[in-house]
Amino acid sequence: MTAEVKKKIILSFWALYAVTLVVIIVLFVGIANGSIGYMPAVEQLANPIDKYASVVISSDGKTLGSYGQSKDNRIFVDYKDLSPDLVKALIATEDIRFSRHSGIDIHGLLRALVKRGLLMQKSGGGGSTITQQLAKQLYSPGAANIIERMLQKPIEWVIAVKLERYYTKEEIINLYLNKFDFLYNAVGIQSASHVYFSTSPKGLKTEEAATLIGMCKNPSYYNPVRHADRTRQRRNVVLAQMEKARYITVRERDSLAALPLNLHFSKMDHKEGPAPYFREYLRMMMTAQKPDISNYPASWQKPKFREDSLAWENNPLYGWCNKNKKTDGSYYNVYTDGLKIYTSINSKMQRYAEEAVREHIGQALQPAFSAEKQGRSYAPFSRHLSPEEINDILNRSMQQTDRYREMKRAKISEAEIKKEFLKPVEMTVFSWNGPIDTILSPLDSIRYYKMFLRTAFMSMDAHTGHVKAYVGGIDYNNFQYDMVTGGRRQVGSTMKPFLYSLAMIEGINPCDRMLHVQQQLIDENGRPWIPRNADQKHIGEMVTIQWGLQNSSNWVTAYLMKQLSPYTLVRLLHSFGMTGYIDPVISLALGTPDISVSEMVGGYSTFANRGIRVEPLYVTRIEDPYGNTVASFNPQMHEVLPEDATYKMLHMLRSVMDGGTGSRVRYRYNLRAPMGGKTGTTQNHSDGWFMAFTPSLVSGCWVGGEDRSIHFDRMTEGQGATLALPIYALYMQKVYADPTLGYSETESFDIPGQYANPCQSNDYIFPTDARGIDKIFE
């Protein structure tokens, strides 16, 4: 080869090198400015993850649930809240030189090219850094052809370098772990920690952190739920990498590698987890739209619209997302803005309330109800209903189903729809002992579900209004109608304390006496109203007003109503927090209005709080993802009763618990704390109520069927003391048994001396302290 040829070859190589270099420079410059391929805007790089689920947090710091988009339930977690083992496992496995490069690891890239590209070694490792992987997660739009596939890596490199300019190393790791999809709607490390191990990222053990980091290679292939052995092997590879990086010792690696996976798996599902009814109520409250009642006349009696309008004006939580704007001028979005919603719910008290419902309804009441109705053609309805009336109820329920509405939209005839509803199909139905696979017609399934008794329970701090427990039904998966705030039922005799309060305001005293005989009142239309009494105690004898409330006498109640105005009573009921329309008729004294459990609990707080009603408070504050408080909520209080009337009512309501209709909490459940309360039972015992309060807590419970025609046949099983009282008693037993909650049976009501015993009669003498109730147990 001549010198001239050698020179040409060398010049050709230099020319090729120069052209290649220019092409590479042009390529990367083009990629960087977005003229070649896809390059995110600066704004996107500055805010790469702009959608985080909002998280609901209990007053004791436990996560109750979250609100996210259907396939992106990501919950923001800060770097300081990550387990150190999580960070070490990620770096050791994915990018050991993470702290020493600026987005591209040249050493690792060359190693991957040689081992995988030239030597074809599958174990040669990958050349992608954590930053590159993040870039791929955040911005990879997918390749539609071979050219775009060839450009993917260079684009990732450029984005990775840019990310390293914008973010610290800690922020990049935090973004990576917040972005990664760990399956089962567990997007981000916060959700993954909860789904797989029922803990937080900070609470992950070393082996748990290694399991989750192991999934990052291929979450479907290393799915710990479906492929436990494979995932365990991958976890042990991560542990070996941690030992190799000297993050753990050989002994630690070996001991951890010997452990099983020990999953605590629970899917991210808003229907599961603690307080599902509460979380759904909160979501609906915060996202409510401003009601439009401009087209309706002011005189239109539609309570729902009036209530929503008043709530929008007076309740700061109602429609919060559509009332408040972010710094960019847009309204808050509970599904994407990563809010931290701090609630008043105590996770332990919530669990105790849910357990009390299961124990009483699931283990005692429902079996008794099913046994009573078993084999009866009218089941689960009242024996007084005709077959035609039962069919009407079932048909109305059928027309309210999604199946019926969809078939109607498809213009299927009524006859064909009915035929489909009578056709047996395979289905899974609810039972207290777990789901049951069976074959039923859709119409029979409607009747089957009506057999289950429903309930609602709420407990709140009597002085601050902080709602501690909220149970809207027996099972949110199958019975989603919330009976705490959404449902309204007749309240029966739990109405009586409100009437007695009016009587105390008007100067009547607990020790005033009346002849205990049937009362007749004349309504505004000149028609007589003659209420009946449930028992035959002391007929024709002189009894005190206190005795009347203590024993829930309808005749004493009617006697008081005769002396008072139903219009005045309605005004007082609104002062007690009842928002719905209440017809000012004399029969409302016996509890004919439909009222929600939450309103009743708020109303009864008046008796425990010196005549001041406190509204239920569900949320204490809301923070943005970075910990800035964007809203705070304080108790709203309203003076309802004067001091003397308050302590007279407190005196009488305590007598209900100590010798009256509520005394079952004493002799059967052995609760000795000072308490006031009232049982309630509606006509045909369709509804059972129990309202009670201690110096610290006020609670309310309702039990009944889906329809008022679903109830026990006998008063013994259908009264409030049997239906609802046990749930409260079981709940309070659990609360008092937990010293960490700070509630004690030795606490007492703060009663000034002049009000200690307002009824100086020879009838029942009320004990002045908790020790005085011991005679009830003798």
Side-chain angles (χ1 to χ4, degrees):
M1 183 181 296
T2 64
E4 186 67 24
V5 172
K6 286 182 180 180
K7 185 178 179 180
K8 287 182 178 180
I9 292 174
I10 292 171
L11 287 173
S12 298
F13 273 115
W14 277 108
L16 180 62
Y17 174 76
V19 169
T20 302
L21 187 62
V22 169
V23 168
I24 290 173
I25 292 172
V26 170
L27 175 68
F28 279 98
V29 170
I31 289 172
N33 63 30
S35 57
I36 298 176
Y38 169 78
M39 179 55 55
V42 173
E43 293 79 10
Q44 286 180 275
L45 288 169
N47 187 25
I49 305 177
D50 60 354
K51 293 179 176 63
Y52 286 102
S54 295
V55 62
V56 183
I57 303 169
S58 70
S59 62
D60 51 334
K62 304 296 183 183
T63 298
L64 299 176
S66 61
Y67 307 124
Q69 295 176 321
S70 59
K71 294 183 179 179
D72 199 354
N73 198 35
R74 182 186 297 107
I75 299 171
F76 178 81
V77 61
D78 206 345
Y79 182 84
K80 63 181 174 57
D81 295 319
L82 298 175
S83 161
D85 287 328
L86 196 63
V87 177
K88 292 173 183 176
L90 179 63
I91 292 174
T93 308
E94 298 295 332
D95 190 357
I96 193 62
R97 284 175 291 277
F98 176 67
S99 62
R100 300 198 297 272
H101 63 66
S102 298
I104 303 173
D105 181 8
I106 302 298
H107 182 278
L109 182 62
L110 292 174
R111 182 201 65 218
L113 285 173
V114 172
K115 289 189 174 183
R116 295 176 68 92
L118 299 178
L119 303 179
M120 305 301 289
Q121 295 179 3
K122 291 185 177 180
S123 60
S128 292
T129 63
I130 291 175
T131 317
Q132 286 175 247
Q133 294 178 46
L134 175 62
K136 185 175 182 179
Q137 288 185 57
L138 291 171
Y139 304 114
S140 178
N145 52 58
I146 189 170
I147 295 176
E148 289 184 0
R149 282 197 294 273
M150 291 174 64
L151 288 173
Q152 272 188 317
K153 276 297 178 185
I155 290 172
E156 286 177 18
W157 294 338
V158 174
I159 295 175
V161 172
K162 287 194 172 187
L163 287 173
E164 290 273 352
R165 289 182 192 169
Y166 278 102
Y167 298 101
T168 65
K169 293 292 185 178
E170 289 81 4
E171 289 171 334
I172 288 170
I173 285 179
N174 202 51
L175 284 169
Y176 180 94
L177 291 173
N178 272 299
K179 178 64 179 177
F180 198 86
D181 188 342
F182 292 87
L183 306 180
Y184 300 107
N185 204 24
V187 183
I189 194 64
Q190 174 79 25
S191 299
S193 302
H194 177 77
V195 165
Y196 292 105
F197 298 107
S198 296
T199 187
S200 65
K202 201 164 193 172
L204 287 169
K205 300 175 183 176
T206 304
E207 68 275 16
E208 294 171 342
T211 300
L212 294 178
I213 295 303
M215 292 179 68
C216 294
K217 184 172 184 179
N218 187 331
S220 296
Y221 189 76
Y222 296 109
N223 181 335
V225 177
R226 300 183 63 183
H227 309 296
D229 290 340
R230 185 188 298 167
T231 306
R232 184 170 175 268
Q233 291 172 10
R234 176 62 184 167
R235 179 203 67 183
N236 291 348
V237 170
V238 175
L239 292 171
Q241 291 296 107
M242 293 178 72
E243 183 273 323
K244 185 178 178 181
R246 298 185 179 181
Y247 290 139
I248 59 175
T249 65
V250 174
R251 179 177 294 180
E252 288 174 326
R253 180 201 66 191
D254 293 341
S255 62
L256 293 172
L259 295 174
L261 285 182
N262 286 331
L263 295 181
H264 298 280
F265 180 72
S266 60
K267 285 186 179 181
M268 290 290 287
D269 187 340
H270 75 281
K271 295 181 181 180
E272 304 290 347
Y277 291 95
F278 172 77
R279 287 185 279 115
E280 177 60 12
Y281 168 71
L282 203 58
R283 184 192 67 81
M284 292 176 65
M285 282 282 287
M286 292 184 65
T287 59
Q289 298 286 338
K290 184 176 182 179
D292 182 10
I293 58 174
S294 58
N295 295 326
Y296 300 100
S299 60
W300 192 51
Q301 296 299 315
K302 185 67 174 176
K304 176 63 177 169
F305 280 88
R306 284 206 316 277
E307 291 166 36
D308 288 350
S309 183
L310 287 171
W312 180 270
E313 297 297 331
N314 303 323
N315 187 336
L317 188 63
Y318 188 91
W320 185 86
C321 288
N322 296 308
K323 291 177 181 175
N324 296 275
K325 293 182 178 180
K326 296 178 286 187
T327 53
D328 63 2
S330 63
Y331 286 104
Y332 280 100
N333 188 320
V334 76
Y335 306 108
T336 61
D337 284 338
L339 301 171
K340 296 176 183 176
I341 306 166
Y342 290 88
T343 73
S344 58
I345 293 289
N346 181 282
S347 66
K348 290 183 178 180
M349 296 172 76
Q350 178 67 30
R351 185 174 78 250
Y352 297 153
E354 292 174 356
E355 289 173 355
V357 166
R358 283 194 297 270
E359 289 172 23
H360 178 57
I361 303 286
Q363 298 174 20
L365 204 61
Q366 188 62 51
F369 185 70
S370 299
E372 180 189 272
K373 302 296 182 182
Q374 188 174 14
R376 302 187 180 183
S377 61
Y378 57 81
F381 302 98
S382 167
R383 60 189 174 192
H384 302 297
L385 288 188
S386 67
E388 292 74 22
E389 290 173 315
I390 292 173
N391 285 333
D392 286 343
I393 294 172
L394 293 174
N395 283 331
R396 283 196 301 271
S397 297
M398 177 186 73
Q399 292 166 7
Q400 293 169 358
T401 64
D402 292 336
R403 183 194 296 257
Y404 179 90
R405 294 189 182 110
E406 288 171 6
M407 295 176 80
K408 268 294 186 184
R409 281 195 292 268
K411 305 205 182 297
I412 298 173
S413 68
E414 193 72 23
E416 284 296 316
I417 293 175
K418 190 65 179 287
K419 184 178 177 180
E420 285 297 313
F421 268 82
L422 292 173
K423 186 184 298 182
V425 294
E426 293 183 357
M427 63 176 67
T428 301
V429 297
F430 167 80
S431 84
W432 279 104
N433 296 319
I436 298 174
D437 293 325
T438 186
I439 298 176
L440 285 174
S441 72
L443 194 61
D444 285 339
S445 72
I446 291 173
R447 190 164 189 162
Y448 172 82
Y449 276 104
K450 285 185 180 291
M451 176 68 77
F452 290 95
L453 294 172
R454 314 299 170 83
T455 191
F457 177 85
M458 185 173 125
S459 182
M460 78 175 195
D461 187 290
H463 307 291
T464 65
H466 287 196
V467 175
K468 300 297 183 180
Y470 183 117
V471 184
I474 59 174
D475 180 84
Y476 187 75
N477 270 308
N478 295 280
F479 308 95
Q480 294 182 15
Y481 192 68
D482 181 358
M483 291 301 297
V484 169
T485 51
R488 292 177 175 272
R489 295 295 282 260
Q490 288 186 343
V491 296
S493 293
T494 54
M495 170 66 69
K496 290 176 181 176
F498 303 131
L499 173 68
Y500 277 67
S501 296
L502 179 59
M504 298 303 106
I505 293 173
E506 296 296 331
I508 298 174
N509 287 301
C511 50
D512 289 348
R513 293 172 177 267
M514 62 159 285
L515 184 64
H516 194 231
V517 294
Q518 191 170 58
Q519 303 291 310
Q520 176 175 303
L521 286 76
I522 305 299
D523 66 14
E524 288 184 329
N525 298 313
R527 294 174 298 197
W529 180 62
I530 307 173
R532 293 180 297 173
N533 236 3
D535 58 51
Q536 305 297 313
K537 292 180 181 178
H538 298 290
I539 294 178
E541 300 178 19
M542 297 297 291
V543 296
T544 63
I545 302 302
Q546 173 181 320
W547 181 93
L549 185 60
Q550 185 180 29
N551 293 277
S552 200
S553 168
N554 288 345
W555 291 350
V556 177
T557 302
Y559 168 80
L560 294 176
M561 189 73 257
K562 188 186 296 186
Q563 302 177 64
L564 303 168
S565 165
Y567 290 91
T568 307
L569 178 56
V570 167
R571 286 196 294 272
L572 183 62
L573 288 172
H574 288 311
S575 296
F576 272 106
M578 314 309 161
T579 58
Y581 175 75
I582 300 174
D583 197 9
V585 294
I586 53 178
S587 59
L588 73 86
L590 297 185
T592 55
D594 292 341
I595 301 174
S596 70
V597 170
S598 62
E599 288 179 355
M600 289 294 288
V601 171
Y604 269 69
S605 69
T606 306
F607 306 123
N609 199 31
R610 300 184 179 184
I612 298 173
R613 174 176 65 87
V614 57
E615 293 187 14
L617 184 70
Y618 303 101
V619 173
T620 54
R621 73 181 189 278
I622 300 174
E623 294 181 354
D624 66 16
Y626 310 105
N628 303 308
T629 299
V630 294
S632 58
F633 304 88
N634 299 307
Q636 296 187 46
M637 301 185 180
H638 311 271
E639 186 172 356
V640 179
L641 297 178
E643 190 176 60
D644 60 337
T646 300
Y647 289 115
K648 289 175 183 178
M649 287 307 304
L650 176 59
H651 168 80
M652 289 191 287
L653 288 168
R654 291 182 69 183
S655 75
V656 172
M657 306 296 283
D658 303 326
T661 57
S663 60
R664 194 177 299 193
V665 299
R666 305 297 194 194
Y667 66 78
R668 180 166 296 181
Y669 295 96
N670 203 38
L671 292 171
R672 295 172 175 259
M675 292 179 181
K678 187 70 188 74
T679 55
T681 310
T682 61
Q683 190 172 9
N684 297 323
H685 29 277
S686 296
D687 306 276
W689 286 80
F690 187 67
M691 304 297 303
F693 57 90
T694 68
S696 299
L697 293 171
V698 54
S699 308
C701 183
W702 165 87
V703 176
E706 180 181 313
D707 302 281
R708 287 192 168 96
S709 56
I710 299 173
H711 52 73
F712 279 97
D713 290 339
R714 298 188 305 169
M715 180 68 168
T716 305
E717 292 86 4
Q719 61 182 306
T722 304
L723 293 178
L725 180 149
I727 293 176
Y728 171 78
L730 291 168
Y731 165 75
M732 291 304 296
Q733 282 181 339
K734 296 171 187 290
V735 168
Y736 285 133
D738 188 342
T740 64
L741 295 175
Y743 298 103
S744 170
E745 290 192 89
T746 61
E747 62 181 341
S748 60
F749 291 103
D750 184 13
I751 304 174
Q754 67 269 33
Y755 300 117
N757 188 2
C759 191
Q760 303 290 344
S761 72
N762 293 323
D763 287 312
Y764 175 79
I765 301 300
F766 185 70
T768 56
D769 57 44
R771 294 184 300 276
I773 66 172
D774 287 343
K775 63 182 181 180
I776 296 171
F777 296 91
E778 295 175 355

